[in-house]
Amino acid sequence: MLQIDRIPLFASADVLVIGGGSAGCCAAIAARQAGAGHVILVERYGFPGGTSTQMLDTFYGFFTPGEQPRKVVGGLPDRVVDALDDAGAVFLRPNTYGAGTGVNYNPERLKLVWDQLLADAGVRVLLHCTLVDAERDPAGRITGVVVFTKRGFLRIAAKRFVDASGDADLCHWAGVPYERAGDLDPAQTLTTTFRMSNVDLDAYESAGGKKMLARKMAAAVDAGTHPLPRKNGSLHKMNAAGCISTVAVRVADVDANDFEQLTAAEQEGRRQAFVYEKFFQECVPGFAGSHIIGLSHQIGVRETRRVYGEYRLTKDDCMRVARFDDRIALCGAPIEDHRASPDGKSEETVWGYIPGGDAYDVPYRTLVPRGRDELWVAGRCFSATHDAHASCRSMGQTMALGQAAGTAAALSLADGCGARDLSIEKLQAALRATGSVLETPTRVAATGAADWRKNHQA
Ligand SMILES: Cc1cc2nc3c(=O)[nH]c(=O)nc-3n(C[C@H](O)[C@H](O)[C@H](O)COP(=O)(O)OP(=O)(O)OC[C@H]3O[C@@H](n4cnc5c(N)ncnc54)[C@H](O)[C@@H]3O)c2cc1C
């Protein structure tokens, strides 16, 4: 147990954001843009972006899937893509199925873009700084946090808090109730992504591309020549010539908040990646001279803790295309649930599409932990059931949720009110003023072109 009163105070903030992933970066930037004076962002790794830069290269959730896609995310997330586009580091991957049209980016460039956007907004960023405890007053209200750094333990005090740690770490240490992945439904599997260079993509495509790959994977598993963990892993071209990125590795039955289980999962993920490398080199046209050039910074964790909020988004809300007066974002992404089969031997990705290619409302109350006034959650630890989370976890949505949480935190300070008493009209007006999409657009936005600028005016 830490003796918090003996830990030196390092800084005080108006709004303190924990976790510099896509949600946390947007929350911190939005808090500053909405008028908060001193905003601090705490991130345990040496770069911002979380999953967006640790392992991925495609934003989903901006566009609904289907023949007539709609663009359902705008505002700050648009500015992120615009900045990538300015650097020539983005293209669209039109897609009518799966998670829909993806916004593909160069993840290393995105680290720089997050740095720049945070600096321009005036956010104080603390990297290599890990939250390890919460400080509370006698009424249980959070007043500060304890972080671990190479200088030792330090305290940061704040008036408002956004937990965007993905794992709801602040909520955990503050005693805020949450559901752990695996408690009620099987937890989604984990994936180490990897990238390969020197791929002859023309040879790959002319040999049959995706369909050919699926056949070859199934054949290799059935014949036992290459012990792949699944038959349906995917790959796509990257923002660099002759390079591809994969979502193929699969590690099941892991409590990703337990460091010993996570250690074993990291080791297993790396092992599987090189089984895939051999398979690609030996079996897939275009890959004979290719090699792995990068593994994800850490194994990809789809879900861990989800708090119980003032409202809990459910599968029924997604499937009935629910409308809420306090909407702060839209989501048309399908439920995409990566789960192991009951025998643990294979993976079923369970898809559930939103009826009519529509998009449901995400209510503000999913960002407010039950009974709290000083605290918001954003990103993958927001208040949702397993199924609803499996839809509303794409980065288009985590960025939009982050923007809403950061804006709400700043407005609550300005108005001297708590999270639950905030004027929804004011919050929605502030979001709309930045271009956030809060009404389902009827306009067909993505025409199939790979050009972001031609497609992003929703
Ligand atoms: C394998 C995989 C593939 C996916 N594919 C896609 C895809 O192609 N497209 C898409 O749109 N979505 C995809 N998703 C989903 C999406 O990436 C995530 O839901 C989203 O990025 C979560 O964003 P976040 O900001 O909520 O959390 P994270 O990105 O997890 O960010 C949390 C941040 O908090 C930091 N942190 C955690 N604990 C602490 C602490 N105690 N102190 C300080 N910092 C801390 C972390 O280092 C991290 O930077 C995928 C997810 C996975 C795992």
PDB file of all heavy atoms in Angstrom, residues 424-444:
ATOM      1  N   ILE A 424     -26.527  19.102 -21.642  1.00  0.00           N
ATOM      2  CA  ILE A 424     -26.284  18.286 -22.841  1.00  0.00           C
ATOM      3  C   ILE A 424     -26.345  19.176 -24.084  1.00  0.00           C
ATOM      4  O   ILE A 424     -25.566  18.999 -25.031  1.00  0.00           O
ATOM      5  CB  ILE A 424     -27.340  17.159 -22.946  1.00  0.00           C
ATOM      6  CG1 ILE A 424     -27.238  16.220 -21.740  1.00  0.00           C
ATOM      7  CG2 ILE A 424     -27.167  16.368 -24.240  1.00  0.00           C
ATOM      8  CD1 ILE A 424     -25.893  15.539 -21.583  1.00  0.00           C
ATOM      9  N   GLU A 425     -27.254  20.150 -24.068  1.00  0.00           N
ATOM     10  CA  GLU A 425     -27.387  21.048 -25.239  1.00  0.00           C
ATOM     11  C   GLU A 425     -26.071  21.783 -25.479  1.00  0.00           C
ATOM     12  O   GLU A 425     -25.609  21.910 -26.603  1.00  0.00           O
ATOM     13  CB  GLU A 425     -28.513  22.069 -25.019  1.00  0.00           C
ATOM     14  CG  GLU A 425     -29.920  21.477 -24.953  1.00  0.00           C
ATOM     15  CD  GLU A 425     -30.188  20.697 -23.657  1.00  0.00           C
ATOM     16  OE1 GLU A 425     -29.539  21.010 -22.627  1.00  0.00           O
ATOM     17  OE2 GLU A 425     -31.013  19.761 -23.685  1.00  0.00           O
ATOM     18  N   LYS A 426     -25.468  22.244 -24.379  1.00  0.00           N
ATOM     19  CA  LYS A 426     -24.202  22.967 -24.503  1.00  0.00           C
ATOM     20  C   LYS A 426     -23.095  22.057 -25.053  1.00  0.00           C
ATOM     21  O   LYS A 426     -22.313  22.440 -25.919  1.00  0.00           O
ATOM     22  CB  LYS A 426     -23.786  23.476 -23.121  1.00  0.00           C
ATOM     23  CG  LYS A 426     -23.498  24.952 -23.079  1.00  0.00           C
ATOM     24  CD  LYS A 426     -23.017  25.326 -21.701  1.00  0.00           C
ATOM     25  CE  LYS A 426     -23.301  26.802 -21.493  1.00  0.00           C
ATOM     26  NZ  LYS A 426     -22.855  27.287 -20.217  1.00  0.00           N
ATOM     27  N   LEU A 427     -23.065  20.839 -24.519  1.00  0.00           N
ATOM     28  CA  LEU A 427     -22.037  19.885 -24.961  1.00  0.00           C
ATOM     29  C   LEU A 427     -22.221  19.577 -26.443  1.00  0.00           C
ATOM     30  O   LEU A 427     -21.264  19.602 -27.229  1.00  0.00           O
ATOM     31  CB  LEU A 427     -22.117  18.601 -24.120  1.00  0.00           C
ATOM     32  CG  LEU A 427     -21.212  17.445 -24.557  1.00  0.00           C
ATOM     33  CD1 LEU A 427     -19.739  17.854 -24.496  1.00  0.00           C
ATOM     34  CD2 LEU A 427     -21.438  16.212 -23.669  1.00  0.00           C
ATOM     35  N   GLN A 428     -23.458  19.302 -26.831  1.00  0.00           N
ATOM     36  CA  GLN A 428     -23.709  18.965 -28.237  1.00  0.00           C
ATOM     37  C   GLN A 428     -23.394  20.153 -29.148  1.00  0.00           C
ATOM     38  O   GLN A 428     -22.842  19.968 -30.241  1.00  0.00           O
ATOM     39  CB  GLN A 428     -25.164  18.514 -28.415  1.00  0.00           C
ATOM     40  CG  GLN A 428     -25.424  17.146 -27.775  1.00  0.00           C
ATOM     41  CD  GLN A 428     -26.890  16.751 -27.784  1.00  0.00           C
ATOM     42  OE1 GLN A 428     -27.775  17.617 -27.782  1.00  0.00           O
ATOM     43  NE2 GLN A 428     -27.157  15.451 -27.753  1.00  0.00           N
ATOM     44  N   ALA A 429     -23.717  21.354 -28.681  1.00  0.00           N
ATOM     45  CA  ALA A 429     -23.418  22.544 -29.503  1.00  0.00           C
ATOM     46  C   ALA A 429     -21.916  22.687 -29.678  1.00  0.00           C
ATOM     47  O   ALA A 429     -21.421  22.996 -30.785  1.00  0.00           O
ATOM     48  CB  ALA A 429     -24.007  23.791 -28.845  1.00  0.00           C
ATOM     49  N   ALA A 430     -21.171  22.449 -28.593  1.00  0.00           N
ATOM     50  CA  ALA A 430     -19.707  22.562 -28.681  1.00  0.00           C
ATOM     51  C   ALA A 430     -19.154  21.514 -29.642  1.00  0.00           C
ATOM     52  O   ALA A 430     -18.235  21.797 -30.429  1.00  0.00           O
ATOM     53  CB  ALA A 430     -19.092  22.397 -27.294  1.00  0.00           C
ATOM     54  N   LEU A 431     -19.699  20.313 -29.607  1.00  0.00           N
ATOM     55  CA  LEU A 431     -19.219  19.251 -30.499  1.00  0.00           C
ATOM     56  C   LEU A 431     -19.571  19.570 -31.955  1.00  0.00           C
ATOM     57  O   LEU A 431     -18.730  19.461 -32.857  1.00  0.00           O
ATOM     58  CB  LEU A 431     -19.815  17.898 -30.093  1.00  0.00           C
ATOM     59  CG  LEU A 431     -19.354  17.356 -28.729  1.00  0.00           C
ATOM     60  CD1 LEU A 431     -20.109  16.088 -28.365  1.00  0.00           C
ATOM     61  CD2 LEU A 431     -17.850  17.082 -28.736  1.00  0.00           C
ATOM     62  N   ARG A 432     -20.817  19.993 -32.159  1.00  0.00           N
ATOM     63  CA  ARG A 432     -21.246  20.325 -33.535  1.00  0.00           C
ATOM     64  C   ARG A 432     -20.382  21.440 -34.120  1.00  0.00           C
ATOM     65  O   ARG A 432     -20.053  21.428 -35.298  1.00  0.00           O
ATOM     66  CB  ARG A 432     -22.707  20.767 -33.557  1.00  0.00           C
ATOM     67  CG  ARG A 432     -23.677  19.618 -33.509  1.00  0.00           C
ATOM     68  CD  ARG A 432     -25.084  20.044 -33.926  1.00  0.00           C
ATOM     69  NE  ARG A 432     -26.009  18.946 -33.703  1.00  0.00           N
ATOM     70  CZ  ARG A 432     -26.747  18.809 -32.596  1.00  0.00           C
ATOM     71  NH1 ARG A 432     -26.704  19.709 -31.634  1.00  0.00           N
ATOM     72  NH2 ARG A 432     -27.544  17.763 -32.458  1.00  0.00           N
ATOM     73  N   ALA A 433     -19.999  22.396 -33.272  1.00  0.00           N
ATOM     74  CA  ALA A 433     -19.206  23.539 -33.757  1.00  0.00           C
ATOM     75  C   ALA A 433     -17.860  23.083 -34.325  1.00  0.00           C
ATOM     76  O   ALA A 433     -17.260  23.780 -35.135  1.00  0.00           O
ATOM     77  CB  ALA A 433     -18.996  24.536 -32.624  1.00  0.00           C
ATOM     78  N   THR A 434     -17.395  21.913 -33.906  1.00  0.00           N
ATOM     79  CA  THR A 434     -16.110  21.408 -34.438  1.00  0.00           C
ATOM     80  C   THR A 434     -16.326  20.474 -35.636  1.00  0.00           C
ATOM     81  O   THR A 434     -15.362  19.943 -36.179  1.00  0.00           O
ATOM     82  CB  THR A 434     -15.324  20.615 -33.373  1.00  0.00           C
ATOM     83  OG1 THR A 434     -15.972  19.354 -33.157  1.00  0.00           O
ATOM     84  CG2 THR A 434     -15.198  21.382 -32.078  1.00  0.00           C
ATOM     85  N   GLY A 435     -17.588  20.225 -35.983  1.00  0.00           N
ATOM     86  CA  GLY A 435     -17.862  19.332 -37.113  1.00  0.00           C
ATOM     87  C   GLY A 435     -18.209  17.918 -36.711  1.00  0.00           C
ATOM     88  O   GLY A 435     -18.331  17.032 -37.567  1.00  0.00           O
ATOM     89  N   SER A 436     -18.378  17.670 -35.409  1.00  0.00           N
ATOM     90  CA  SER A 436     -18.779  16.320 -34.978  1.00  0.00           C
ATOM     91  C   SER A 436     -20.114  15.960 -35.618  1.00  0.00           C
ATOM     92  O   SER A 436     -20.992  16.811 -35.762  1.00  0.00           O
ATOM     93  CB  SER A 436     -18.943  16.260 -33.455  1.00  0.00           C
ATOM     94  OG  SER A 436     -17.711  16.442 -32.821  1.00  0.00           O
ATOM     95  N   VAL A 437     -20.261  14.689 -35.970  1.00  0.00           N
ATOM     96  CA  VAL A 437     -21.503  14.239 -36.609  1.00  0.00           C
ATOM     97  C   VAL A 437     -22.424  13.678 -35.526  1.00  0.00           C
ATOM     98  O   VAL A 437     -22.095  12.687 -34.883  1.00  0.00           O
ATOM     99  CB  VAL A 437     -21.209  13.153 -37.675  1.00  0.00           C
ATOM    100  CG1 VAL A 437     -22.496  12.716 -38.364  1.00  0.00           C
ATOM    101  CG2 VAL A 437     -20.199  13.648 -38.688  1.00  0.00           C
ATOM    102  N   LEU A 438     -23.580  14.320 -35.335  1.00  0.00           N
ATOM    103  CA  LEU A 438     -24.524  13.843 -34.316  1.00  0.00           C
ATOM    104  C   LEU A 438     -25.875  13.453 -34.915  1.00  0.00           C
ATOM    105  O   LEU A 438     -26.759  13.008 -34.199  1.00  0.00           O
ATOM    106  CB  LEU A 438     -24.731  14.907 -33.231  1.00  0.00           C
ATOM    107  CG  LEU A 438     -23.486  15.328 -32.436  1.00  0.00           C
ATOM    108  CD1 LEU A 438     -23.864  16.275 -31.302  1.00  0.00           C
ATOM    109  CD2 LEU A 438     -22.757  14.122 -31.865  1.00  0.00           C
ATOM    110  N   GLU A 439     -26.046  13.663 -36.224  1.00  0.00           N
ATOM    111  CA  GLU A 439     -27.257  13.206 -36.896  1.00  0.00           C
ATOM    112  C   GLU A 439     -26.821  12.286 -38.033  1.00  0.00           C
ATOM    113  O   GLU A 439     -25.843  12.592 -38.718  1.00  0.00           O
ATOM    114  CB  GLU A 439     -28.059  14.373 -37.492  1.00  0.00           C
ATOM    115  CG  GLU A 439     -28.947  15.081 -36.488  1.00  0.00           C
ATOM    116  CD  GLU A 439     -28.162  16.035 -35.584  1.00  0.00           C
ATOM    117  OE1 GLU A 439     -27.203  16.647 -36.101  1.00  0.00           O
ATOM    118  OE2 GLU A 439     -28.481  16.132 -34.399  1.00  0.00           O
ATOM    119  N   THR A 440     -27.556  11.196 -38.252  1.00  0.00           N
ATOM    120  CA  THR A 440     -27.148  10.251 -39.284  1.00  0.00           C
ATOM    121  C   THR A 440     -27.202  10.917 -40.650  1.00  0.00           C
ATOM    122  O   THR A 440     -28.262  11.365 -41.071  1.00  0.00           O
ATOM    123  CB  THR A 440     -28.076   9.026 -39.304  1.00  0.00           C
ATOM    124  OG1 THR A 440     -28.238   8.595 -37.967  1.00  0.00           O
ATOM    125  CG2 THR A 440     -27.489   7.911 -40.131  1.00  0.00           C
ATOM    126  N   PRO A 441     -26.077  11.042 -41.323  1.00  0.00           N
ATOM    127  CA  PRO A 441     -26.098  11.685 -42.633  1.00  0.00           C
ATOM    128  C   PRO A 441     -26.736  10.784 -43.681  1.00  0.00           C
ATOM    129  O   PRO A 441     -26.554   9.570 -43.658  1.00  0.00           O
ATOM    130  CB  PRO A 441     -24.616  11.911 -42.954  1.00  0.00           C
ATOM    131  CG  PRO A 441     -23.865  11.023 -42.049  1.00  0.00           C
ATOM    132  CD  PRO A 441     -24.755  10.584 -40.932  1.00  0.00           C
ATOM    133  N   THR A 442     -27.516  11.372 -44.582  1.00  0.00           N
ATOM    134  CA  THR A 442     -28.125  10.578 -45.638  1.00  0.00           C
ATOM    135  C   THR A 442     -27.220  10.522 -46.858  1.00  0.00           C
ATOM    136  O   THR A 442     -27.336   9.631 -47.678  1.00  0.00           O
ATOM    137  CB  THR A 442     -29.469  11.192 -46.074  1.00  0.00           C
ATOM    138  OG1 THR A 442     -29.260  12.570 -46.309  1.00  0.00           O
ATOM    139  CG2 THR A 442     -30.520  11.001 -45.004  1.00  0.00           C
ATOM    140  N   ARG A 443     -26.311  11.479 -46.927  1.00  0.00           N
ATOM    141  CA  ARG A 443     -25.466  11.584 -48.108  1.00  0.00           C
ATOM    142  C   ARG A 443     -24.509  10.392 -48.193  1.00  0.00           C
ATOM    143  O   ARG A 443     -23.905   9.988 -47.207  1.00  0.00           O
ATOM    144  CB  ARG A 443     -24.649  12.872 -48.010  1.00  0.00           C
ATOM    145  CG  ARG A 443     -23.747  13.136 -49.164  1.00  0.00           C
ATOM    146  CD  ARG A 443     -23.153  14.539 -49.029  1.00  0.00           C
ATOM    147  NE  ARG A 443     -22.150  14.763 -50.052  1.00  0.00           N
ATOM    148  CZ  ARG A 443     -20.886  14.429 -49.916  1.00  0.00           C
ATOM    149  NH1 ARG A 443     -20.459  13.879 -48.812  1.00  0.00           N
ATOM    150  NH2 ARG A 443     -20.042  14.659 -50.895  1.00  0.00           N
ATOM    151  N   VAL A 444     -24.403   9.828 -49.367  1.00  0.00           N
ATOM    152  CA  VAL A 444     -23.419   8.779 -49.597  1.00  0.00           C
ATOM    153  C   VAL A 444     -22.067   9.455 -49.668  1.00  0.00           C
ATOM    154  O   VAL A 444     -21.831  10.335 -50.484  1.00  0.00           O
ATOM    155  CB  VAL A 444     -23.711   8.039 -50.913  1.00  0.00           C
ATOM    156  CG1 VAL A 444     -22.613   7.042 -51.218  1.00  0.00           C
ATOM    157  CG2 VAL A 444     -25.053   7.338 -50.808  1.00  0.00           C
TER     158      VAL A 444
END
